[in-house]
Amino acid sequence: MCRRCTNGCPYKPSGDLEMRMLSQLRLLNRGVLALLTALLVLVASSTPAFAAALPPPAPVSASLVSDARVEVSWPAVASASSYEVRRGTVSGGPYTVVGTVTGTSYVDETVAAETTYYYVVRSRSGKRTSGDSPEVSVRTSLAKPVNVRAAAAETSMTLRWKAVAGTARYEIVRLSNDVPVETVVGTTTSTEYVDTGLSVATRYVYWIRAIATGGAAATSDAVRVYTGPATTTTVTVSPGSVEQGQRILLIANVRYADGRIPGGEVAFMSAAGAVAFANVNGTDGTAIAMVNGTGWTPTSVYAQFQGSDWPPAGASVAGDAVPVVTQPYGSVAFNGPSWLKLGSWEEAVAAGDLTGDGLSDVVITTTEYFDDANDHSAFLFVQEADNQLVMKQQVAMSTSTGGSMYPVIGDLDGDGADELVVATGDGVDVFRRTGSGLSTAEHLSFADDLIDLRLRDLDADGRTDIVAVSDNGVLVRYGDENGSFTPAALVSPHRGFVLDVVDMTGDGRADLVVQLGQLIQISTQVKPRSFAAPAGYQAPAGHLQTVASMAVGDVTGDGRKDVVVTVSGNAPNAQVQVLTHDSAGVLGRWIRYPVYEMPDAIAIADVNNDGRDDVAITHGGWSAASVLLQRPDGWLGNEFRVSQLPSASSFTPRGLALADINNDGLKDLLMANYNYGLVVVPQRPAATSAAASPKVQVGRA
C-alpha cells in the first residue's frame, strides 16, 4: 500500500515494470535526503559562532599637560590592536578623529586656549571597531606670556613679550621697593609697553598678565631688572652645533655704551623659562653658563641682563641664539689602564719606532726627584707579542740638570731610522738607534734652557731641523749638507711653553706656533728662514683661568690647521677652545667646547680611523681622560670619558701621547703620570666588551 494512502491505494500498478520504477524512485529520494542532511552538518561545523562585540576602553581620562597639550589615556583592551581617539567641542559629538595609536595614551597638541574639548576612544582590531567609550572633557587654559624681555634707561623700562592667542588685553604688574605690593601700572593690547617715571638705579619686578575676553587670566614669570645707564647685551652658544646630550656653553657679553663693563647677573632664558644664571665677569664682560645636554634640549635662547644698582647699570636683553642639534656620531671605547712606576718624577711621553720593526715604541722621561738612579733619564718601552709593552732600556742624559726633558722622536739625519731627541741641559741630547738599542747621549747645545721642541724641515731644504722654544724665544738648528746642524739661531723673540711647527696659511711653508699662557703667537714664514712678526691671538679663557696646553691639527674639517688649547678649570670654565678660520680663510674665530673638569695635556690624532683629526685630553686631579671625536660636519662631538685612572694632580703639556702600542690598528692613550709612571689605556673596538678585549701588560724586561 502506498504510504500516502490510509484507506487503500486507488492506483494499482499494472505490471512489474511499473513496480520496479516506483521502487527506484523511492531509493533516489532517500539518497537526496541523506546528501542534503550531510551538507547541512558540514556547513554548520565550519561556520564559527557569532563573534563577540569589541568593547571600547574604559575608563578614559583627559588631563591638561600644558595650555596647548591635552593627554588622553585609558586601560588596554585585551583584543584590541589599536585605538582611535576622537574629539569634539560639543558634548555628545559630533566627533572628529584626531589620532590613532597602538599604545594606551595620546597627546593632543592641536588644541586652542580657553576651549572645552570632549573626547571618546574606540578600540580597533582588524576590520572591527568598537563603539565610543564614555565621554570625558577637559578645558584648556589661557597660555601665560613668555619671552618677556626688559631694556632699561635711567628712568624708564621697555617691556616686550610674545603674543598669547585668545588674549583681549595685557596688564602690566609691577613691584618695587617704593611700592612693595603688586600693582597694575598699565594696560595694552600690543606686545610692548614702556613704563616711565621710574627712579634711577632701582630694582623693579614685572609680570605680564594676559586677560581673555571671558575674563580668564594667565600671568608670566617674574622679570627682575634695574633702571640705570643703558647697556647692551649679546648672546652666543658654543659650540654652534651639538649632538644630542652634548654639553653647551651659553655666553653673554655685556657693555655700557662707552665700552666699560658693568656688574650684575644674566638670566639665560627660553620660551619654557629660565635655563641658567651667571654673573658678569668684570675682566672680559662675559657671563658664562654650561648646560648639560642630557638635562636640557637645546633650543632658542636669549640673555636678559638684569642690571645693577651699584655701580648703576640698566637692564638690557640680547636677541636669540639657536644651536643646531644633530644625531650623535661615532663612538670610542677603552679598556682599563696598566702602568709601571719607574722612579723619580715621570714628566713627558712620546711614541715612535725606535727599534726598526715598524711598530710604535714608547719613551717616557723623568726630571729630578731625589732619585739618583732614575733622575734625568729616558726609558724605552718596546712592543712584544701577546700585548706586552716591555721596558728594555734606560738611558741617562749627558747632564743631570736643565731642560724640560720633553722627548721627540723622528728621523733626524735622513737615513730612514728614527732618533730620540730630549730637551736637556743647555740644548738637546740625541740618542741614535743601534743594533742593541739606543746609543749614549750626543749633546747639541742651544746655549739656552729649552722648554719644548719639534723635529721639522722648517726651511723646506729636505733636511730635518731642530726647532725649540725657551724663555728667550724660538731657536733653530738647521740641518746642513754634512748631516750636522748649524749653530742655534733665534728666529722669533717671543717665548712660550708649547711649540708647534706647521703650515698655518696653506702656502706650503712651515710656520711657528707658540703658546704662552692665554696668548697664541703665530709667526708665518714668508720665505725660507725668514719670518714675519708674530700675530697674537688671545684665548678667551676668562678671568683667573689657565691655558694648560696646546696642539695643532685640522679639527674643523676645512683642510686648514687649527690651534686647540685646554683651559684648565671647573665647569663652566673647563673647556677645549679651537682657534680656527672663518669662511674667508682668515684665522681668528674661537670655538669653545665645555668638557669635564680640569683639562690639561692634549694630543690630536685620528682616534677612530675615520680620516679626521680628533682630540684627546687628560683631566689632572680627576683620574680621567677624554676623547672628542670630530664629526663629518667639522664640529667636535660628545666627550667620551675614561674614568678611574691612576691619579695625578696635573699633567705636563707633553704628558699625553696617542699611538698604537699593541698593533691592533687602534690609537691608545699613553700618559706620563708622576705618581704611577707610564700609564697605558688601550683602545678597544667600540662593539667589543672589555672582558673580551685583552689588557695590555706593561713591565720590565
Side-chain angles (χ1 to χ4, degrees):
M1 179 182 295
C2 176
R3 292 183 181 179
R4 296 168 62 105
C5 302
T6 57
N7 298 316
C9 180
Y11 172 73
K12 301 292 183 180
S14 59
D16 292 340
L17 177 60
E18 290 179 346
M19 290 297 293
R20 285 196 299 269
M21 291 177 63
L22 182 59
S23 177
Q24 290 173 357
L25 181 60
R26 290 172 179 168
L27 292 174
L28 178 60
N29 288 338
R30 292 173 183 170
V32 170
L33 180 61
L35 178 60
L36 289 174
T37 302
L39 287 173
L40 288 173
V41 172
L42 178 63
V43 170
S45 64
S46 62
T47 301
F50 182 75
L54 187 66
V60 174
S61 63
S63 59
L64 195 62
V65 179
S66 69
D67 54 82
R69 301 170 77 230
V70 171
E71 182 177 25
V72 183
S73 58
W74 55 90
V77 173
S79 55
S81 58
S82 63
Y83 303 92
E84 186 177 274
V85 181
R86 302 164 69 86
R87 184 187 74 192
T89 55
V90 177
S91 180
Y95 305 109
T96 301
V97 176
V98 291
T100 301
V101 294
T102 57
T104 57
S105 66
Y106 175 79
V107 176
D108 186 1
E109 298 182 341
T110 62
V111 296
E114 284 293 292
T115 304
T116 300
Y117 291 98
Y118 300 87
Y119 292 91
V120 294
V121 181
R122 291 180 176 182
S123 304
R124 296 178 61 180
S125 178
K127 295 182 179 181
R128 294 187 298 156
T129 302
S130 75
D132 291 338
S133 70
E135 181 186 81
V136 292
S137 66
V138 64
R139 182 170 180 80
T140 57
S141 62
L142 188 67
K144 70 180 181 180
V146 296
N147 288 356
V148 181
R149 309 178 187 212
E154 294 275 356
T155 60
S156 66
M157 190 73 66
T158 300
L159 301 164
R160 296 181 178 88
W161 57 92
K162 185 178 179 181
V164 176
T167 298
R169 70 184 188 277
Y170 301 95
E171 293 180 346
I172 289 76
V173 182
R174 187 185 73 198
L175 179 149
S176 69
N177 291 334
D178 296 334
V179 184
V181 293
E182 297 178 15
T183 304
V184 176
V185 296
T187 300
T188 181
T189 57
S190 74
T191 56
E192 179 177 334
Y193 183 82
V194 180
D195 190 17
T196 59
L198 305 179
S199 301
V200 179
T202 301
R203 181 176 183 261
Y204 293 91
V205 182
Y206 289 94
W207 295 265
I208 307 300
R209 182 179 296 150
I211 309 294
T213 304
T219 304
S220 72
D221 294 336
V223 178
R224 297 168 175 83
V225 285
Y226 288 85
T227 53
T231 62
T232 58
T233 299
T234 59
V235 65
T236 56
V237 295
S238 189
S241 177
V242 294
E243 296 179 357
Q244 292 178 355
Q246 186 173 353
R247 298 179 181 187
I248 190 170
L249 292 176
L250 310 177
I251 306 169
N253 197 298
V254 187
R255 290 287 191 278
Y256 287 111
D258 60 6
R260 292 179 298 118
I261 299 172
E265 188 176 53
V266 171
F268 294 97
M269 307 291 295
S270 71
V275 175
F277 297 86
N279 288 316
V280 176
N281 186 310
T283 302
D284 61 7
T286 61
I288 302 176
M290 186 194 75
V291 180
N292 192 332
T294 58
W296 175 67
T297 300
T299 186
S300 177
V301 176
Y302 65 95
Q304 175 68 68
F305 173 56
Q306 298 176 345
S308 173
D309 57 351
W310 188 258
S316 58
V317 67
D320 295 282
V322 185
V324 176
V325 183
T326 67
Q327 293 295 320
Y329 168 76
S331 62
V332 63
F334 293 88
N335 274 351
S338 301
W339 60 87
L340 179 65
K341 177 65 179 174
L342 299 164
S344 186
W345 186 284
E346 291 83 354
E347 184 77 1
V349 64
D353 181 11
L354 289 171
T355 56
D357 59 1
L359 303 176
S360 291
D361 306 307
V362 180
V363 169
I364 188 168
T365 56
T366 58
T367 55
E368 300 89 12
Y369 198 63
F370 312 106
D371 184 352
D372 293 341
N374 296 300
D375 284 348
H376 233 67
S377 297
F379 298 82
L380 172 63
F381 286 78
V382 177
Q383 284 195 50
E384 293 193 350
D386 300 324
N387 292 291
Q388 302 290 318
L389 190 64
V390 179
M391 200 280 282
K392 289 285 190 178
Q393 187 179 7
Q394 176 182 354
V395 291
M397 300 299 111
S398 60
T399 178
S400 60
T401 59
S404 65
M405 288 299 293
Y406 287 179
V408 292
I409 297 172
D411 184 1
L412 196 59
D413 50 18
D415 65 353
D418 284 347
E419 284 80 35
L420 170 65
V421 182
V422 182
T424 183
D426 70 345
V428 300
D429 277 359
V430 177
F431 299 88
R432 301 184 185 275
R433 197 170 82 195
T434 69
S436 58
L438 298 176
S439 68
T440 56
E442 172 191 340
H443 189 70
L444 297 177
S445 175
F446 278 69
D448 207 342
D449 196 340
L450 305 182
I451 299 175
D452 198 12
L453 70 159
R454 285 289 180 264
L455 305 182
R456 298 285 193 275
D457 181 5
L458 181 59
D459 56 357
D461 64 353
R463 305 183 185 95
T464 300
D465 310 309
I466 306 175
V467 189
V469 67
S470 72
D471 281 335
N472 298 305
V474 179
L475 304 100
V476 182
R477 290 194 63 163
Y478 291 101
D480 62 22
E481 65 276 7
N482 301 316
S484 186
F485 296 88
T486 63
L490 184 70
V491 295
S492 174
H494 293 273
R495 66 190 184 94
F497 300 142
V498 184
L499 167 73
D500 212 336
V501 181
V502 66
D503 179 11
M504 292 297 299
T505 63
D507 61 0
R509 289 187 288 266
D511 307 308
L512 305 173
V513 185
V514 178
Q515 176 250 323
L516 177 65
Q518 293 178 217
L519 180 62
I520 305 298
Q521 299 174 99
I522 300 177
S523 300
T524 57
Q525 189 171 189
V526 295
K527 62 180 181 180
R529 303 191 182 188
S530 178
F531 296 85
Y537 304 88
Q538 194 78 12
H543 183 52
L544 298 179
Q545 303 306 311
T546 302
V547 171
S549 189
M550 177 197 79
V552 177
D554 179 11
V555 299
T556 56
D558 62 358
R560 304 182 182 99
K561 297 299 183 182
D562 310 300
V563 180
V564 187
V565 300
T566 50
V567 177
S568 192
N570 299 113
N573 297 308
Q575 298 173 22
V576 166
Q577 299 182 352
V578 181
L579 174 62
T580 187
H581 303 77
D582 62 18
S583 58
V586 178
L587 190 68
R589 182 172 67 106
W590 285 96
I591 303 172
R592 305 163 77 161
Y593 293 90
V595 294
Y596 188 58
E597 313 291 349
M598 300 300 291
D600 41 21
I602 182 171
I604 294 177
D606 181 6
V607 176
N608 61 338
N609 295 330
D610 66 352
R612 302 179 182 92
D613 280 346
D614 308 307
V615 176
I617 55 178
T618 55
H619 300 277
W622 290 83
S623 301
S626 297
V627 172
L628 288 80
L629 298 179
Q630 183 185 163
R631 301 198 306 259
D633 61 3
W635 296 86
L636 298 178
N638 270 312
E639 185 180 8
F640 294 92
R641 189 164 70 247
V642 187
S643 301
Q644 298 182 334
L645 300 182
S647 177
S649 62
S650 64
F651 292 84
T652 68
R654 297 302 174 207
L656 172 67
L658 292 166
D660 178 8
I661 50 83
N662 56 356
N663 198 29
D664 63 355
L666 301 174
K667 296 288 193 308
D668 308 305
L669 301 177
L670 311 170
M671 286 167 273
N673 182 315
Y674 65 84
N675 282 326
Y676 290 86
L678 174 62
V679 176
V680 176
V681 185
Q683 187 184 169
R684 58 180 169 83
T688 304
S689 68
S693 185
K695 188 175 181 179
V696 172
Q697 302 296 322
V698 182
R700 299 178 184 268

